[in-house]
Amino acid sequence: MDTIIALSTAPVISATGVLRLSGNDAFEIVEKMFSGKLYDMKSHTVKYGKILDKKGNAVDEVLITVFRAPHSYTGENVVEISCHGSPYVLKKVTELAVENGARHAEAGEFTKRAFINGKLDLAQAEAVIDLIEAETAEESGIALKNLNGDLSCGVEKIRTFLIDICAQILAYIDYPDDEIVDTGAEELEKLVSKAFENTEKLKQSYTAGRIIKNGVSVVICGKPNVGKSSVMNRLAGFERCIVTDIAGTTRDVVEEKILFGGMKFLISDTAGIHEGTDDAEKKGIIMAEKKMREADLIFFVLDANTGIEEEDMFIIKKLEKVKGKKIALINKCDIFDINFDVPGFDSVIKISAKTGYGFDLLEQTVKESFSGIYIKNNEILMNTRQYSCVCRACACLKNALDNIRLTPDVIITDLEEAVKALGEVTGKTVGEEIVENIFSRFCVGK
Amino acid sequence: MRYNAGKTDVAVIGAGHAGTEAALACARLGVKTILFTMNLDSIANMPCNPSIGGTAKGHLVREIDALGGEMAKAADRVFLQSRMLNRGKGPAVHSLRIQADRRRYQALMKKTLENTENLSIKQAEIVQVIVEKEKICGVVTNLGAVFDAKAVIIATGTYLESTIFVGDVSYSGGPDGMHSSQGLSACLESCGIKLMRFKTGTPARIHRRSVDISKLEVQHGDEKIVPMSFENNYIGENKKDCYIVYTNEKTHNIIKENLHRSPLYSGNIHGIGPRYCPSIEDKVVRFADKPRHQLFLEPMGEDTEEMYLQGFSSSLPEDVQIEMVHSLSGFENAEIMRTAYAIEYDCCDPLQLKPTLEFKKISGLYGAGQFNGTSGYEEAAAQGLIAGINAAFSVKGQKPFILDRSSSYIGTLIDDLVTKGTNEPYRIMTSRSEYRLVLRQDNADARLTPLGYEIGLISESRYKSFLEKQKAVEAEKNRLEKTFVPPCIDLESILREKNSAPVKTGVSLAELIRRPEISYFDLALVDKDRPRLDFAITEEAEISIKYEGYIKRQLAEIEQFKKLESKKLPKDMDYSLIKGLRIEAIQKLNAQKPENFGQASRISGVSPADISVLLIYMGIK
């Protein structure tokens, strides 16, 4: 393939900046602009020298690292040039490489080449992106595990398990004369159930993956003027929302990404819920209710002054059907220190948005509620594409289980579809594989 | 000395199962055809099992019949025993198989050929094909007769430069004591055709009277026989039984002790054999933990005591074979009438063929059957029919006839061959199809007979009765959907007996049939106005109701498949110009020049990523 070049480090002034070239002519191109020779360099070795322009003037002193195909990230010939980190120098060196036959890489092109050359599968390629974009320790940890192939391995395990079941059924169908034993509906149900459970577990890991990647979605709700926006501002650490004494100040949903106890949170402040007066407020309330249904965590803010009023009960009623964790926050406890129970809530915490009272306890409570998700799964789904593939596989396996008393020719269509869907997570395809598997495992003959 | 022996439209080389179907199709489509065979007494011979059909193979036979081929009709007339295999495994994989009277099958096929207009049959060995400017011109016999031909179909089976192996003995020879065909291979290679070397084998034939049948397990045929051909309703009763016998520890020990004398293990055989049809020594080695293997003793015909010992094919020396046979229970005094052998032969790499089975590089030259790297009579016949139709069409200047994967097992077989190729004798299996629930043996006529009629191989009267059957199926489906049964004692007892949930309100017959545990037959008692219909009609109505959801899903998949199939790729494309394709993909694509994206995506070595690149390049995505 043609040779591409890109800056691998950030385009800012820094100690060093690394340019990376990949392609058939990577060595030749660099050799034309380098004071030393590359052809005699062994793979994975470094050489010191100067980058020279067309007239032979030195542009920079650099270190050159050589990776010979296929032992490189992309599977092609790769050269990394460590320059001094001046944006001007880096631009100049890039221009020289382009003049000598390289072209600017497109976004993700190095990883794409690694995928095309079979160095990474799809799930791994996606992990590379996740790793680059990681913002927390958990996020980068999982991305790294997925890059190592943890997710691919987990998916592959379920997939091969299913391929084995398919092979058994198909051999039983294709060789009626041989003594291939019928798996039997009960045994088959057991096997498919096992595959279904594992796939379902994988599917559920997406909740963790999504939370780790996008943050826990928190919705602050409550009747008007209990101090929801003040709670938001306290959490955000700055005046994110306009706070007034006038009820109904917040109409839109205000969102903010924050780090709280080392975890990512996506906090939404919503309009106070009550029988709205004008159209804008009504719309805000509808949006708030939608947000509540989708949230991982609800902060329901009450006023210590008033205790639980009818308007609060109205919201509590609405929250009954909400799936996420629910924490009641009794605000304004700096003024009134009062204890009361809120029915249907996981915990009730007394706070003051004004003084910061109670926020330590809140942090601890939140941390404890979500720390479990990190350790539950070895394989964690981090993106929607993978998730939708796994969902499809789950649906197929569910269907197979529902129809397990039907004939094997039907059950196998669901199993094969599930195999296909899981194969799409890692970018593998099937077909021949199942056929191949029959031969390796069974004694057959006609 | 050569002499000009005349002209023909199509010359077919070889009169096995591929050659006969090819010749009949051509002649019936009105083109002048000559069928060449090395021995007139070997027309449509079955040198291996005396049976036709089986899993997926039974589907092929019914598809051949639905298109107007001959195999099913002949099988129905000479069957000794008939069984529908896989009855309990669902309608998609029901497969019909018959034991055939081998000699009568041959005689019948020969007579059918003789009585066909436009068809001449000649005993002659073709030693050369004449190719000029990448176009076929004719064939030459070993006696120097030159026949000009507009199209030539090679259906040489296992005869090309074939070698027989029995232990350490090997000699040039064809199947069933015939001689091998010499010289044609070299001629084909000189025309630029790439040949491969494959191997297959057949078990010993045993004299029935020397076996103590009482010690064997009997296997009867079906009580209610389903004919192979859609033309027939009733074909008579079973005439013979098959028997089951098992190998034992002693047999396995004899094999293990003599393995070094097998040409397969000593390395004398270079050809690649079929994995799914292994020799007994192969099975014993590969599945060492199995204490026994099942064998079948099958009748060869009504006029003979010769029996075929299925599952016992071997290339071990004759003395070892005798010992092995004698080790089987009931076979202590068995007499071997024909010794088992392995045979190695030349065949072409099918990647050189178009989906019409015409060679990409030589216009007018077609391949069919084992010559294309397959195994099995049914696979051969299916290809013969398609090659025949296309040869006739090309002579007549008509558009090619191609069946795709979603239409049939025939289409699947040919697509596998010409896009994926094969590195062993290819056998059709139900697992090769993605669309099993749609490609059933019971609906082969619904899928293909309209095409057969369009081609011109299905007669007016048969087409009429086909349409009537389809109408009857539709009418019965409608009736089942619209007939409601109220809750009553009869229905209650049916449901209880079948372990099915009771009903509280009236329910349609169709709704009941959709329950996995309830069949059309079960409901007879509550279906008072049920018309008297042929089994074929009620079967199709029942299946299409019971499996409606799944069938709809596969039809949707077929739609998807057709989208990729309809995206054509230019024939003259140079794939090395496309940036982003991997080198392996470029080589494969340039070598094969697929006709469309669907075909390209199935080539091994072309990854989904390559297809994305190709789609982007072609500006389709």
Side-chain angles (χ1 to χ4, degrees), chain B residues 174-194:
Chain B
D176 265 341
M178 296 277 295
H179 66 86
S180 91
S181 160
Q182 311 268 332
L184 185 56
S185 274
C187 167
L188 293 174
E189 278 185 314
S190 75
C191 296
I193 291 171
K194 186 184 155 206

Side-chain angles (χ1 to χ4, degrees), chain B residues 98-253:
Chain B
I98 59 125
Q99 299 301 136
D101 188 314
R102 170 172 162 272
R103 298 292 290 167
R104 289 188 189 175
Y105 187 88
Q106 287 178 258
L108 179 66
M109 247 341 166
K110 182 164 176 249
K111 199 171 159 192
T112 306
L113 292 165
E114 288 165 351
N115 290 336
T116 301
E117 290 294 317
N118 305 318
L119 182 58
S120 317
I121 306 144
K122 284 200 187 330
Q123 178 165 307
E125 181 180 346
I126 301 300
V127 292
Q128 203 188 327
V129 292
I130 306 166
V131 177
E132 273 168 26
K133 290 182 188 151
E134 300 182 341
K135 196 176 173 341
I136 197 78
C137 300
V139 295
V140 185
T141 72
N142 57 337
L143 301 180
V146 179
F147 291 86
D148 295 338
K150 293 173 187 159
V152 171
I153 300 169
I154 308 175
T156 47
T158 62
Y159 283 82
L160 286 186
E161 305 292 336
S162 54
T163 308
I164 300 286
F165 292 87
V166 181
D168 32 25
V169 180
S170 73
Y171 55 90
S172 161
D176 265 341
M178 296 277 295
H179 66 86
S180 91
S181 160
Q182 311 268 332
L184 185 56
S185 274
C187 167
L188 293 174
E189 278 185 314
S190 75
C191 296
I193 291 171
K194 186 184 155 206
L195 297 180
M196 308 190 288
R197 193 93 176 138
F198 277 2
K199 168 243 149 185
T200 186
T202 192
R205 311 299 193 273
I206 312 287
H207 195 310
R208 185 183 201 277
R209 291 197 297 124
S210 67
V211 180
D212 183 354
I213 297 285
S214 69
K215 285 189 176 169
L216 311 184
E217 225 174 276
V218 188
Q219 190 178 48
H220 299 297
D222 286 348
E223 259 174 51
K224 208 171 155 286
I225 292 173
V226 179
M228 283 253 172
S229 171
F230 288 102
E231 267 184 25
N232 298 326
N233 284 322
Y234 176 75
I235 54 169
E237 301 298 319
N238 292 305
K239 296 163 191 81
K240 292 257 180 183
D241 286 325
C242 293
Y243 302 92
I244 298 170
V245 57
Y246 297 93
T247 60
N248 52 46
E249 206 186 331
K250 198 173 160 200
T251 325
H252 293 197
N253 284 337

Side-chain angles (χ1 to χ4, degrees), chain B residues 472-482 510 540-541 544-545:
Chain B
V473 171
E474 274 313 304
E476 182 61 357
K477 268 167 67 184
N478 265 325
R479 192 187 70 81
L480 293 169
E481 291 285 0
K482 288 186 181 138
E540 218 180 310
S544 55
I545 288 174

Side-chain angles (χ1 to χ4, degrees), chain A residues 354-387:
Chain A
K354 200 168 157 194
T355 63
Y357 164 73
F359 277 77
D360 292 353
L361 183 63
L362 178 61
E363 180 175 333
Q364 206 186 326
T365 312
V366 166
K367 233 170 128 176
E368 274 164 17
S369 340
F370 287 90
S371 60
I373 58 170
Y374 297 125
I375 36 174
K376 250 193 277 171
N377 284 291
N378 281 325
E379 302 91 25
I380 292 184
L381 288 175
M382 290 259 274
N383 74 45
T384 43
R385 187 193 67 80
Q386 295 166 357
Y387 177 64

Side-chain angles (χ1 to χ4, degrees), chain B residues 440-460:
Chain B
R440 304 186 311 272
Q441 56 94 29
D442 62 274
N443 71 354
D445 57 342
R447 292 184 278 121
L448 300 173
T449 293
L451 293 172
Y453 176 68
E454 213 175 285
I455 291 165
L457 289 175
I458 293 288
S459 70
E460 205 64 54

